[in-house]
Amino acid sequence: MSKITVVGSVAFDSIETPFGKVESVLGGSATHFSAAASFFAPVNLVAVVGNDFPKEHIKFLKSRNIDTEGLEIADGNTFAWKGFYEYDLNTAHTLETKLNVFQDFEPKLPERYTNSEIVFLANIDPELQLSVLDQIDKPKLVVLDTMNFWIENKKDRLLRTLQEVDIALMNDSEARELAKTFSLLDAARMIMSWGPETVIIKKGEHGVLMFTENTHFAAPAFPLEEIKDPTGAGDSFAGGFLGYLAKTSDFSEQNQRKAVVYGSVMASFSVEDFGLNRARHLKQKEIEDRYAEFEEITGF
Ligand code: AMP
């Protein structure tokens, strides 16, 4: 078992999809990641919230094997994101991003986080991602996620952070925007030339592609009857992916393929309900059953 440290957003999300609407629910990239990864391995959380953040949310995180010593409570308001989805649930449209306490955040890692083998730099300012990485002693696996907001506002810093990363994760439109090319294969090669050995491109309901210099793996998304809210699917994917790698401590390409399927399983649960609602009552057995079903639908 390897230790995971994640830095990312802990947020209040207001979300509207064709299937409903929620206001100021617990969200954020680090939250969705931690909720998924903690089914597999313990997670250290690095983030900041404001003094408006309810204690019950912290209680929930603690109850899930998530270490919150690295969750700073600062004077001010918690990060807030507001977005909507049309019938194409693959594209999130941002209405509002209020960085709030994240603007002055200077992460300081608790001593016991600094020997983590796995680091997940979830979607957050690339400068903060790098400052967390600098505080960890020789991690074995560094994985980064990002999004259009940072590609558009902090591309130089993002390219700098990518130099330190083993695996880059992003969705298809972000990979195209970052690499300025339509071809996902070309985009993956371009991103690899900036540092990462592996690039994983998430394509929403169309599944995932994983590229290394010499290999290419494709997994479908799990076909679902009901989807309510895609927010957090990417982070839940990352949580399942890294959670499985942490549990097995085997970072080989073959094992990463299995991890991609666990990632897809966790993403599929996350979209079945708003916010973290599905994760709150998910059972280990449901994860294993869905993994087995995945093997069934992809085997030939
Ligand atoms: P995803 O897994 O890609 O759907 O990520 C969704 C999460 O990202 C939401 O819960 C948001 O709170 C969070 N988020 C949205 N915009 C940003 C941003 N600019 N920086 C950090 N987190 C964000």
Side-chain angles (χ1 to χ4, degrees):
M1 181 88 74
S2 304
K3 268 209 281 187
I4 308 176
T5 288
V6 56
V7 61
S9 53
V10 172
F12 290 140
D13 283 349
S14 297
I15 307 158
E16 186 165 357
T17 81
F19 314 106
K21 193 175 169 171
V22 290
E23 288 283 329
S24 282
V25 296
L26 176 61
S29 51
T31 316
H32 284 286
F33 172 85
S34 304
S38 59
F39 277 96
F40 301 83
V43 179
N44 298 327
L45 173 63
V46 179
V48 64
V49 291
N51 40 23
D52 56 350
F53 195 69
K55 287 205 176 63
E56 78 213 39
H57 289 341
I58 296 180
K59 233 168 109 186
F60 163 70
L61 295 169
K62 283 187 174 156
S63 74
R64 302 302 294 272
N65 213 1
I66 300 165
D67 187 323
T68 58
E69 199 193 326
L71 178 66
E72 187 185 318
I73 301 174
D75 221 9
N77 292 327
T78 299
F79 173 91
W81 178 77
K82 187 173 186 178
F84 73 95
Y85 300 81
E86 291 170 312
Y87 266 101
D88 171 10
L89 292 171
N90 288 329
T91 313
H93 302 282
T94 295
L95 290 170
E96 205 164 58
T97 301
K98 289 189 182 158
L99 292 175
N100 294 339
V101 288
F102 261 106
Q103 278 179 103
D104 302 313
F105 182 43
E106 287 175 18
K108 272 172 234 63
L109 265 57
E111 185 61 35
R112 67 170 180 277
Y113 290 16
T114 58
N115 64 353
S116 302
E117 290 93 349
I118 298 181
V119 184
F120 183 55
L121 307 171
N123 164 25
I124 193 65
D125 186 334
E127 274 178 78
L128 293 180
Q129 292 178 321
L130 196 57
S131 102
V132 166
L133 195 53
D134 283 345
Q135 296 175 55
I136 297 181
D137 211 24
K138 297 196 197 77
K140 291 197 181 126
L141 190 68
V142 180
V143 183
L144 170 146
D145 191 4
T146 193
M147 70 180 289
N148 48 8
F149 188 86
W150 305 113
I151 296 170
E152 286 153 25
N153 295 311
K154 293 224 175 168
K155 187 166 172 181
D156 285 356
R157 305 312 300 165
L158 178 59
L159 292 184
R160 168 69 194 90
T161 306
L162 271 174
Q163 291 174 8
E164 311 298 325
V165 163
D166 299 301
I167 303 179
L169 268 178
M170 62 196 79
N171 68 32
D172 45 359
S173 64
E174 290 153 0
R176 288 185 172 117
E177 188 175 351
L178 181 61
K180 293 202 167 67
T181 171
F182 180 80
S183 156
L184 292 178
L185 187 58
D186 281 349
R189 285 199 187 115
M190 176 84 74
I191 296 165
M192 281 188 257
S193 78
W194 294 326
E197 240 173 65
T198 304
V199 174
I200 297 180
I201 299 182
K202 301 166 284 180
K203 301 191 298 154
E205 63 176 329
H206 306 299
V208 186
L209 300 172
M210 179 166 71
F211 299 96
T212 67
E213 192 186 351
N214 302 312
T215 63
H216 173 186
F217 175 65
F222 190 81
L224 291 170
E225 276 179 32
E226 191 170 43
I227 301 179
K228 282 193 184 153
D229 171 20
T231 312
D235 304 303
S236 305
F237 171 86
F241 176 75
L242 284 183
Y244 181 72
L245 292 180
K247 182 176 164 182
T248 53
S249 287
D250 170 359
F251 307 153
S252 65
E253 202 266 341
Q254 276 304 313
N255 205 46
Q256 284 185 20
R257 291 181 179 222
K258 284 189 187 168
V260 163
V261 174
Y262 272 106
S264 306
V265 164
M266 297 312 286
S268 74
F269 284 118
S270 146
V271 303
E272 285 178 345
D273 206 343
F274 278 87
L276 286 148
N277 289 350
R278 186 64 178 97
R280 285 178 197 271
H281 61 91
L282 184 60
K283 302 274 177 305
Q284 197 73 46
K285 172 144 188 342
E286 292 177 293
I287 297 173
E288 294 312 326
D289 287 352
R290 194 164 282 186
Y291 183 86
E293 232 182 299
F294 223 105
E295 277 188 316
E296 187 70 30
I297 62 168
T298 52
F300 58 88

